[in-house]
């Protein structure tokens, strides 16, 4: 492959990759560690958000490290200063949180600012006992809460983050190699 053919191949390949990152109803945030992250363009309940992520071939985002938490939060806040859904929930067993994608729940970033009622607090037969899903707080109303997790009622409407394997995001079409003579 000569130099011109190689450059044209790269241009076509990169163009195909960038086009493939467009998913209707979502804004591309970034790719990292084999996953691509998208913010929904519309608000949804947690259940509707979860179903839409599955329909797209992904899951509500699982956050497995402080680095991932910080990158994701900053990326979402660059698009909108809004609280958003993640894939953490205790729908099947109160107090036993799991990720929708099956990742092991090890990293956590709960809002513990209120020492008398730290998160997660949607259990113990309290009035908030229907708080079975998790949101990342924007900090818009209280900057101290920015980026912290809160268990919340699943019928609230929030933006949400779709996580997809980067391989699932790529086009099935192999870009052609065009030879320029």
């Amino acid at each position: 492959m000569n130099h011109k053919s190689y450059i044209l191949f790269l241009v076509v390949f990169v163009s195909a990759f960038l086009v493939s990152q467009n998913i209707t109803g979502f804004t591309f945030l970034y790719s990292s560690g084999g996953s691509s992250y998208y913010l929904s363009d519309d608000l949804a309940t947690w259940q509707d958000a979860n179903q839409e992520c599955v329909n797209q071939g992904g899951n509500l985002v699982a956050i497995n490290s402080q680095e991932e938490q910080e990158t994701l939060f900053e990326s979402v806040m660059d698009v909108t200063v809004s609280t958003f859904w993640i894939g953490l929930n205790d729908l099947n067993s109160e107090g036993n949180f799991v990720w929708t994608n099956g990742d092991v729940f090890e990293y956590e970033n709960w809002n513990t600012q209120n020492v008398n009622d730290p998160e997660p607090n949607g259990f113990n037969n309290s009035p908030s006992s229907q708080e079975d899903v998790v949101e990342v707080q924007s900090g818009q109303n209280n900057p101290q809460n920015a980026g912290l997790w809160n268990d919340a009622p699943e019928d609230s409407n929030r933006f949400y983050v779709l996580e997809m394997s980067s391989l699932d995001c790529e086009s099935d079409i192999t870009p052609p190699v065009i030879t320029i003579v």
Side-chain angles (χ1 to χ4, degrees):
M1 185 182 290
N2 68 32
H3 183 67
K4 288 181 184 177
S5 297
Y6 180 73
I7 290 174
L8 188 55
F9 171 80
L10 284 177
V11 168
V12 171
F13 180 78
V14 169
S15 298
F17 178 72
L18 291 176
V19 168
S20 71
Q21 292 188 11
N22 293 327
I23 298 176
T24 302
F26 292 87
T27 299
F28 175 74
L29 296 173
Y30 66 97
S31 290
S32 177
S35 291
S36 292
Y37 302 86
Y38 301 82
L39 180 65
S40 65
D41 293 340
D42 297 314
L43 303 172
T45 65
W46 189 92
Q47 291 287 0
D48 288 345
N50 185 50
Q51 186 59 55
E52 181 59 25
C53 289
V54 170
N55 292 347
Q56 293 293 338
N59 290 284
L60 279 170
V61 66
I63 303 172
N64 296 306
S65 70
Q66 183 65 35
E67 179 184 5
E68 185 177 13
Q69 165 72 31
E70 290 170 2
T71 302
L72 181 68
F73 182 73
E74 290 170 13
S75 296
V76 170
M77 293 303 111
D78 284 346
V79 177
T80 182
V81 181
S82 296
T83 297
F84 59 94
W85 293 128
I86 60 177
L88 193 61
N89 69 87
D90 68 347
L91 289 164
N92 291 331
S93 177
E94 189 62 45
N96 295 312
F97 287 89
V98 296
W99 292 109
T100 56
N101 71 353
D103 283 0
V104 176
F105 176 51
E106 295 176 325
Y107 171 78
E108 56 187 59
N109 197 40
W110 295 110
N111 182 348
T112 57
Q113 301 293 326
N114 181 351
V115 294
N116 295 321
D117 193 22
E119 299 295 337
N121 60 7
F123 50 88
N124 297 328
N125 296 321
S126 69
S128 60
S129 64
Q130 297 304 307
E131 296 182 351
D132 293 323
V133 296
V134 179
E135 63 188 7
V136 176
Q137 297 173 301
S138 67
Q140 185 175 19
N141 297 327
N142 184 348
Q144 288 183 319
N145 296 339
L148 299 176
W149 299 355
N150 175 55
D151 59 336
E154 62 187 280
D155 60 351
S156 299
N157 286 302
R158 304 277 185 263
F159 289 101
Y160 56 98
V161 176
L162 162 66
E163 180 177 4
M164 294 183 68
S165 165
S166 290
L167 296 176
D168 293 337
C169 302
E170 294 178 4
S171 172
D172 293 332
I173 301 170
T174 304
V177 177
I178 303 170
T179 305
I180 299 174
V181 271

